[in-house]
Each structure stands twice: as C-alpha cells, then as structure tokens.
Amino acid sequence: TRAEYAAWVDDDHRFHAVLIAAARNRWLTKTVTDLRLTARVFAAVRRESSLTPAAARETVVVHAALVAALTA
C-alpha cells in the first residue's frame, strides 16, 4: 500500500541518517544533505512501483550486514 511504502521510505532515510551521523563527518553530512535537496528539487525520488517485496527484503539483508560489520 502507499502507507506501507511511505513508512518504508521513512525508515530507510532514518537508517541512513543514523549511519551518516555516526560517521561524525561534517563534509559527508553536508554532501548527503545537499544531494537530498537536489533530488527533491528535480523530483528524483523513488517511485512506489520500484519497491517490490523482494527489493525490500534485499534492502533489509544489506542493511543488517552493514550494521553487523560496523558493530563487529
């Protein structure tokens, strides 16, 4: 549903925001902030149809591996 998609996108953005904040790198933070603004200005956002259940599961797997690597 649209609500599920919106929630997934919000969660994904929060996940990446935590990683960026944890890096404590002002240059990285500024770069990502600028890129997100540019993406919004040019409407370069993910389309709902691009998020399939398989893609969502793969994203969770990749994120879990990243967290495991960072906390090892």
Side-chain angles (χ1 to χ4, degrees):
T1 68
R2 287 182 189 252
E4 290 171 326
Y5 174 75
W8 185 89
V9 170
D10 288 343
D11 289 345
D12 190 57
H13 282 217
R14 279 193 297 277
F15 175 82
H16 289 276
V18 167
L19 290 178
I20 292 162
R24 297 181 184 192
N25 181 320
R26 285 184 286 175
W27 182 85
L28 176 63
T29 300
K30 180 176 178 4
T31 300
V32 171
T33 299
D34 291 350
L35 287 171
R36 286 183 176 166
L37 176 59
T38 301
R40 276 189 237 133
V41 167
F42 289 102
V45 294
R46 290 182 239 187
R47 296 183 191 271
E48 186 174 342
S49 62
S50 69
L51 181 64
T52 63
R57 282 190 297 275
E58 179 63 20
T59 298
V60 170
V61 169
V62 170
H63 286 178
L66 182 55
V67 169
L70 291 170
T71 57

